[in-house]
Amino acid sequence: MIWQSAIDFFSFKDPNVVYVLAGIIFINSSSALVGTFAYLRKRSLLADAVSHALLPGICLGFLFAGEKNMPALITGAFITGWISIYLIDLIVRKSRIKQDAAIAMVIAFFFAIGIVLLTYIQKHGNGNQAGLDHFLFGQAAAISKNDVWLFAVVFVVILLAVLLLYKNLVILSFNPDFAQSVGIPVRFIEFFLTSLTVLAIAIGIQALGVILISALIITPTATARMWTHHLKKMIVIAILISVFSGIAGAFVSYTRAQMPTGPWVVVILSFITFVSVVMAPKGLLRKFIVRRKNENKINDENILKTIFELKGFSEKEKMLVFSTVELTEKRLFDTKKLDAGLRRLIRRNLIQHKGNEFELTTTGKKEAARIIKLHRLWEQYLLKRTSIDTDHVHSGAEAIEHIITPEIEKELEKELGIEGIPEDDY
Amino acid sequence: MNDIFIILTAVLVAINCALLGTFLLLRKMAMLGDAVSHAVLPGIVVAYFFAGDKGSVFILAGATVAGLAATFLIDFFSRRIRIQNDAAIGITYTLLFAVGMILIAVLMQGNADIDQECVLYGDIALINFDKILIDDNLYIGPRAMYVELVAGIIVVSSLVIGFKGFKLISFNEDFAKSVGIKTSRWHYFLMALVTLTTVVSFEVVGAILVVGFLVIPPASAFLITRKLIPMLVISALTGIVSVVSGYFLALWLDVSITGMMVVMAGILFAFCFIISQLRSHKTLAGTGFEQKTQEI
């Protein structure tokens, strides 16, 4: 059954499906485009304020036009959206109230006006108001052919504006002071960019509603940011993520009639965010792997070092044999970690089995000697260059010996004037 | 008589929100309050589905869990993943709100008690349908009023007992940390109180408009005074004035009562804002002090 509806959905037999999909593609691309710059300028929540502030504008547009006339509604929304941004700016500039409080106030105030107007229209209206409350929660299914044309025009305007002003927008987003100093008309471009944002939100509320539309502005960009540092790639990824979730959300609500589109779009979008949190290049998974690798390296090197401390290399052949008990006596190893470490060392051919005990191989001996050398080099360095006491240099060296690279090793040797000592003498 | 109960209930909502909102504002966490008020929705829906009763403690528990989950999630996004703090707030509350709406669609089909509209702006005019009767005929007021009263007692007593802690984390968190106060514990305590207030106010004023009660009166008070206790008193008073005036205006215009209350709060703020502008021009003009205070 789900396959049947999938086929129905993607074969576009139903013209409504085409309108809804086209509408969602235009809406999501527009909001992802402007959202990128909003995010870079740390103004994500301003979008939140604007989206709530559009509600009274829509009601006023309706009262003015007397019917659900899309251009009138969007004009009204555009005006109140702008007023909300102006008010936030005014409050922050002229009083001690901080931006987040100003945003929260404006959200609640404009939303309250919207609710008051909405109830006024419902009680005094002439019956044309049906569907006006779609703007509260959004109803993607209500997107009509004319709406799609309007959305397409807005999308093209935003796309052209971003393409033409790209360089200026980038400078403005990353360094507004520099933009000002090189003579870019900062105030005008800011005004323009904000207008585009308001416009993108205005067309989006029909599909997602005033509350969830801010997700389309904020989430795709924040997610794309995890995958790349490159601005152009970031914009493309944000648009792709957003459009994909839009189509997927529309599909879910197509297969289950009672499912609302907007919330599903947001949930799918957030799901992608969570996946990115784990999988992205700097995500949790990668961090976890790197940390595990480091922990293992430190553990293995400590084992090798302990073998050396245990036996010394003075009596060459015989002394290289050791047992786990001896190791634990010398240094307090966690049994599990010790076993895992020994297994890894065998795999790397640094030690080998000898009956019940273990034996250091030739390469293992070299490796152990290298670590001890690094340890002692650092101890010497601390003694020579700092005022740290003899009994305290050990703990510092214990940590640093694992991360000294061959280059630093050379530098240390030069610094201490012990270059060129043959390996066997350590 | 019904008028009085509605006004009393709304006044209690206003006082609870104004007191907690003052601390939120001072901690520069107004948007966190906004996020929590949206995010309690899935908790409320799930608890309502299982308990099947609007007045149940389950709802309180479910919503508190959701609210605290939102706080944790925002913390996680902004500290561990290094997403900008305000973007983290936006991502979290839209997600939880969307989940709540889907749950309403799935679990609450054809259920009149909990629907999308009441989530957004509550219905204070209907609270009188849910009455508390003693001996089947002595009417002592709507249930919502008593719920608010209990919440108010909890909020006020917590604030009185923990006043020193809340004051410290509001004005100088670093200092509080340095003298060994567990600031994060106080933070989550405050957020739990905010969640509690949001939840009990939710059926009266709705999930979004409660933000207006939380933020706007304290902001007005913030413009008038710099001392904490006067600020708490003034913000409670502005809350009460906006509630009462909003109620009668709404009756007169025949529009949403809660909406009008928040609109009145906003208008009161506008008055305070204009007065504070005029005052600062009068007292500081020409002294060169004005520039300095603005920089601070």
Side-chain angles (χ1 to χ4, degrees):
Chain A
M1 188 201 144
I2 188 146
W3 287 116
Q4 188 53 47
S5 44
I7 292 163
D8 287 350
F9 184 77
F10 289 109
S11 61
F12 309 119
K13 264 186 236 155
D14 189 348
N16 280 327
V17 171
V18 180
Y19 297 147
V20 170
L21 279 186
I24 281 180
I25 289 171
F26 288 133
I27 289 170
N28 288 22
S29 315
S30 312
S31 47
L33 257 178
V34 296
T36 310
F37 293 102
Y39 184 84
L40 289 177
R41 295 166 68 219
K42 301 198 167 59
R43 301 191 125 202
S44 306
L45 279 183
L46 225 49
D48 202 19
V50 173
S51 61
H52 286 74
L54 298 187
L55 188 60
I58 284 175
C59 295
L60 287 175
F62 176 81
L63 283 174
F64 185 75
E67 55 168 353
K68 238 187 85 186
N69 175 327
M70 214 44 193
L73 300 189
I74 287 189
T75 313
F78 187 75
I79 293 170
T80 47
W82 246 113
I83 294 176
S84 74
I85 288 188
Y86 176 74
L87 282 183
I88 292 171
D89 203 41
L90 183 75
I91 293 172
V92 172
R93 245 180 325 115
K94 293 277 181 181
S95 75
R96 294 181 292 144
I97 292 170
K98 293 281 176 296
Q99 187 174 7
D100 70 322
I103 290 176
M105 285 167 57
V106 166
I107 286 177
F109 180 62
F110 274 83
F111 193 74
I113 296 179
I115 295 297
V116 166
L117 287 174
L118 205 60
T119 44
Y120 179 83
I121 291 171
Q122 273 163 2
K123 278 172 186 158
H124 305 265
N126 47 11
N128 280 340
Q129 79 271 18
L132 209 54
D133 53 347
H134 285 166
F135 290 102
L136 276 180
F137 302 101
Q139 190 157 37
I143 294 176
S144 71
K145 199 176 174 183
N146 291 337
D147 295 344
V148 172
W149 281 112
L150 185 66
F151 298 164
V153 169
V154 171
F155 171 67
V156 170
V157 167
I158 291 176
L159 189 66
L160 278 181
V162 170
L163 286 178
L164 291 177
L165 291 174
Y166 183 74
K167 216 173 190 176
N168 292 344
L169 288 176
V170 172
I171 299 175
L172 185 66
S173 307
F174 285 104
N175 200 339
D177 293 336
F178 175 69
Q180 185 103 48
S181 72
V182 294
I184 293 171
V186 171
R187 287 193 70 89
F188 172 74
I189 292 183
E190 262 183 357
F191 173 83
F192 195 62
L193 193 57
T194 313
S195 304
L196 291 183
T197 314
V198 177
L199 207 57
I201 297 171
I203 61 167
I205 44 175
Q206 194 188 10
L208 273 100
V210 292
I211 297 159
L212 295 180
I213 180 68
S214 32
L216 278 194
I217 301 278
I218 301 170
T219 315
T221 313
T223 312
R225 181 74 184 77
M226 289 183 234
W227 289 95
T228 178
H229 294 291
H230 197 277
L231 181 59
K232 280 178 189 160
K233 283 184 200 158
M234 200 169 127
I235 293 176
V236 173
I237 293 176
I239 291 177
L240 287 180
I241 291 173
S242 184
V243 168
F244 172 79
S245 351
I247 294 173
F251 176 68
V252 170
S253 77
Y254 180 79
T255 49
R256 296 261 182 285
Q258 82 276 17
M259 287 296 186
T261 315
W264 270 107
V265 174
V266 174
V267 168
I268 293 167
L269 202 52
S270 309
F271 178 72
I272 298 177
T273 308
F274 279 105
V275 172
S276 306
V277 161
V278 178
M279 305 297 290
K282 279 189 171 174
L284 291 182
L285 189 66
R286 177 70 197 255
K287 268 188 197 158
F288 177 76
I289 290 173
V290 169
R291 192 194 297 154
R292 267 295 286 277
K293 226 170 143 187
N294 277 337
E295 273 175 5
N296 288 344
K297 185 176 175 240
I298 291 174
N299 187 35
D300 297 354
E301 293 186 350
N302 280 340
I303 295 174
L304 284 176
K305 201 175 61 185
T306 315
I307 299 169
F308 181 92
E309 280 166 8
L310 200 58
K311 303 290 181 185
F313 286 149
S314 47
E315 295 169 56
K316 295 228 163 170
E317 301 307 314
K318 193 180 126 212
M319 284 301 165
L320 300 180
V321 179
F322 61 96
S323 68
T324 44
V325 183
E326 281 177 303
L327 279 183
T328 345
E329 273 169 2
K330 181 75 186 170
R331 190 190 175 102
L332 208 62
F333 280 111
D334 183 276
T335 325
K336 241 190 201 160
K337 277 187 186 163
L338 180 62
D339 283 347
L342 287 173
R343 244 176 285 131
R344 268 195 305 273
L345 289 174
I346 290 171
R347 222 179 309 134
R348 285 167 60 194
N349 205 19
L350 297 177
I351 58 175
Q352 58 196 36
H353 279 289
K354 187 162 196 187
N356 273 340
E357 300 186 320
F358 298 95
E359 179 184 41
L360 217 51
T361 62
T362 332
T363 36
K365 193 181 143 193
K366 254 188 202 152
E367 180 68 11
R370 189 184 68 85
I371 295 154
I372 293 291
K373 177 185 163 193
L374 293 178
H375 184 95
R376 292 193 178 153
L377 267 178
W378 189 253
E379 280 185 348
Q380 283 303 318
Y381 178 72
L382 285 183
L383 282 177
K384 204 170 168 189
R385 293 286 167 205
T386 66
S387 55
I388 297 174
D389 243 8
T390 323
D391 6 341
H392 289 85
V393 290
H394 172 73
S395 57
E398 192 77 349
I400 210 101
E401 67 196 12
H402 305 293
I403 51 173
I404 293 181
T405 59
E407 291 83 26
I408 299 177
E409 189 186 338
K410 285 236 170 65
E411 283 290 311
L412 281 174
E413 285 180 341
K414 212 194 272 173
E415 185 78 20
L416 295 168
I418 50 171
E419 245 172 317
I421 296 172
E423 268 178 46
D424 289 351
D425 288 359
Y426 282 110
Chain B
M1 202 56 191
N2 282 346
D3 284 0
I4 292 174
F5 285 132
I6 290 178
I7 291 177
L8 271 180
T9 314
V11 162
L12 285 168
V13 173
I15 293 174
N16 292 344
C17 290
L19 294 181
L20 289 173
T22 306
F23 289 102
L24 277 183
L25 188 82
L26 289 173
R27 279 176 66 62
K28 303 185 184 66
M29 288 185 168
M31 278 315 286
L32 202 55
D34 180 58
V36 166
S37 70
H38 286 71
V40 293
L41 184 61
I44 291 175
V45 178
V46 169
Y48 185 80
F49 178 71
F50 284 113
D53 175 19
K54 226 175 180 176
S56 145
V57 241
F58 286 112
I59 298 211
L60 201 61
T64 311
V65 168
L68 286 179
T71 319
F72 278 119
L73 204 58
I74 291 170
D75 244 25
F76 171 75
F77 273 136
S78 60
R79 291 218 188 126
R80 292 291 306 276
I81 314 297
R82 303 277 167 104
I83 295 176
Q84 290 169 19
N85 187 45
D86 52 351
I89 290 177
I91 294 173
T92 306
Y93 92 81
T94 48
L95 168 65
L96 286 169
F97 195 78
V99 170
M101 281 175 62
I102 292 173
L103 286 174
I104 288 182
V106 176
L107 303 176
M108 299 290 161
Q109 273 174 328
N111 191 322
D113 264 352
I114 199 163
D115 62 5
Q116 296 178 335
E117 272 77 18
C118 99
V119 168
L120 282 197
Y121 43 95
D123 214 335
I124 202 164
L126 297 181
I127 57 170
N128 279 317
F129 288 121
D130 197 356
K131 294 170 182 175
I132 291 185
L133 296 174
I134 292 180
D135 294 339
D136 284 338
N137 54 18
L138 181 62
Y139 176 43
I140 56 162
R143 195 184 47 78
M145 189 175 88
Y146 289 94
V147 174
E148 281 298 333
L149 192 63
V150 173
I153 291 169
I154 294 174
V155 167
V156 170
S157 52
S158 307
L159 288 183
V160 168
I161 293 168
F163 189 72
K164 228 173 172 177
F166 286 124
K167 194 173 166 183
L168 264 176
I169 61 165
S170 305
F171 286 102
N172 201 339
E173 196 165 358
D174 293 334
F175 173 71
K177 253 182 215 156
S178 73
V179 296
I181 289 170
K182 300 256 190 307
T183 49
S184 69
R185 211 174 286 174
W186 285 101
H187 171 62
Y188 282 111
F189 187 25
L190 182 65
M191 289 323 288
L193 286 178
V194 171
T195 314
L196 172 87
T197 318
T198 316
V199 177
V200 295
S201 313
F202 146 85
E203 60 174 307
V204 187
V205 297
I208 294 176
L209 292 179
V210 73
V211 182
F213 288 86
L214 269 175
V215 185
I216 301 179
S220 310
F222 191 64
L223 291 181
I224 294 174
T225 175
R226 284 166 187 251
K227 294 204 173 78
L228 181 56
I229 291 180
M231 201 176 144
L232 287 167
V233 174
I234 292 175
S235 76
L237 283 179
T238 32
I240 293 170
V241 172
S242 46
V243 159
V244 176
S245 58
Y247 180 73
F248 288 109
L249 257 178
L251 280 195
W252 183 53
L253 294 170
D254 193 17
V255 292
S256 157
I257 295 172
T258 344
M260 206 61 217
M261 288 171 175
V262 176
V263 171
M264 283 315 293
I267 291 173
L268 274 181
F269 173 80
F271 271 123
C272 294
F273 187 74
I274 293 168
I275 289 170
S276 76
Q277 292 303 310
L278 292 178
R279 208 170 53 178
S280 72
H281 277 294
K282 213 196 241 165
T283 53
L284 299 172
T287 58
F289 188 62
E290 191 179 7
Q291 196 61 38
K292 236 178 188 173
T293 45
Q294 279 193 348
E295 273 166 21
I296 293 165

